Structures are given as structure tokens and as C-alpha cells.
Amino acid sequence: MAIRVGWARAWNISALNCRNESGMIFIIFANSNYFLKLPIGANLNTPNLNPRRVLVADDEKVIADTLRMILSQSGFHAEAVYDGNSAIERAQEWKPDILLCDVIMPGINGIDVAIQISSLIPGCRILLLSGRAGVNDLMREAREQGHQFDLLVKPVYPGDLISLLRSDI
């Protein structure tokens, strides 16, 4: 199997990218446990005449900024924030169509952020992200309070995320 490896540095993000002969690109972020896997030639840049606003909230700046970049290049109007309080403040000002929020963050967790934003902006679609075990108790507590949120497991593959976000357009 032939694998091409190279380093990329953009927006102060260091990443190792590997391309194999089966047509996949793997991007492994330096100093992170996360990676992206893209099909070679994947076109995430489908034009969108009515861009939806997506607020990304993740305390890992590399993840938040990368998701923002992928969403922006895919026709969404995306912004990133790095903690729960900033997510609530920005949502009040900006009124996003979609919130993409990490569950485990310092301070206010993503589920509490989602609950507050869903009450402030009832039409906002909420998607929670987690790469850690232990969120089941938080999700169960939210359901017991009458809140139902979709949970995506990290790593999230960009093509799948874009398809999911476009699924109700």
C-alpha cells in the first residue's frame, strides 16, 4: 500500500495528512486525539444560495476552527466559539439556524448550552458532539427534563456532517 505523507500548516493548525491508494485522505491534528478522513476528490463546496448559520462551540480550538472552515467551504455561514458562555452570548446576538456543540467543556457543559439556546431560539437545530465516554448520564438527565438532542460521536467525518446538516433543507 502506497501512502503519501505531508505536513500542512494553515490558520496556525498543524496537521499530518496521509493519502493512501484506496482513495482516502487522513488528517491527523498535531497535539490532538482527533482526525478527519476525506475521500480523495470529495467536493464539499456545493453552492448554497441561502446559507444557513451554524454556530460551532468546542473548547478545543483546533476542532472548532476546523469545523468552521469545513462548513464555510461547504456553503454554510459558520462561526466558532470556544466555551459554553460564549456560545450562549453569540447565539443571542446572531440567531444561528444550527448549533454544533461539544458536550464536555469547562464551565457550562454543552447540554446546558443546548437547553438554554433551544429556549432562546426555538427553531435552532441542535447537534451535540462528544469524543468521550460518560456523556450518557448527561444525555439521560436532559431527556428526563424533556430535552431531546442528537449526539454525534467524534471524530465526525466532514462528508457525513455536511449531508446531515443539509438533510432538512
Side-chain angles (χ1 to χ4, degrees):
M1 172 185 287
I3 297 178
R4 288 185 280 169
V5 177
W7 278 97
R9 186 155 179 86
W11 297 283
N12 293 322
I13 299 171
S14 294
L16 174 68
N17 62 70
C18 307
R19 182 178 297 201
N20 67 19
E21 61 191 25
S22 69
M24 298 305 293
I25 297 173
F26 297 88
I27 303 172
I28 303 164
F29 297 102
N31 302 320
S32 177
N33 294 324
Y34 300 105
F35 67 92
L36 297 175
K37 183 172 90 171
L38 299 169
I40 291 177
N43 181 7
L44 300 177
N45 295 321
T46 305
N48 187 349
L49 299 177
N50 186 16
R52 301 184 77 194
R53 291 178 298 216
V54 181
L55 181 60
V56 178
D58 198 315
D59 60 314
E60 292 199 45
K61 290 183 178 189
V62 169
I63 301 298
D65 290 339
T66 301
L67 287 171
R68 181 198 47 77
M69 180 182 63
I70 289 167
L71 292 170
S72 294
Q73 290 176 351
S74 300
F76 294 89
H77 184 183
E79 292 192 11
V81 295
Y82 311 112
D83 62 72
N85 288 324
S86 296
I88 294 166
E89 289 172 17
R90 186 65 187 126
Q92 287 176 312
E93 299 164 0
W94 194 48
K95 308 284 190 256
D97 300 303
I98 301 168
L99 171 67
L100 191 57
C101 187
D102 188 24
V103 174
I104 305 297
M105 293 189 289
I108 184 170
N109 69 54
I111 293 174
D112 290 336
V113 169
I115 291 169
Q116 289 190 40
I117 290 177
S118 65
S119 69
L120 293 168
I121 310 164
C124 183
R125 183 176 179 189
I126 310 280
L127 297 170
L128 297 174
L129 300 167
S130 182
R132 299 182 186 170
V135 300
N136 291 335
D137 290 338
L138 293 171
M139 293 295 288
R140 184 179 36 76
E141 289 174 19
R143 279 192 301 276
E144 289 171 356
Q145 295 174 17
H147 304 284
Q148 186 69 35
F149 303 115
D150 293 321
L151 178 65
L152 305 175
V153 178
K154 290 180 182 178
V156 177
Y157 300 110
D160 295 342
L161 177 61
I162 300 306
S163 295
L164 180 62
L165 295 179
R166 289 187 176 146
S167 65
D168 69 342
I169 294 178

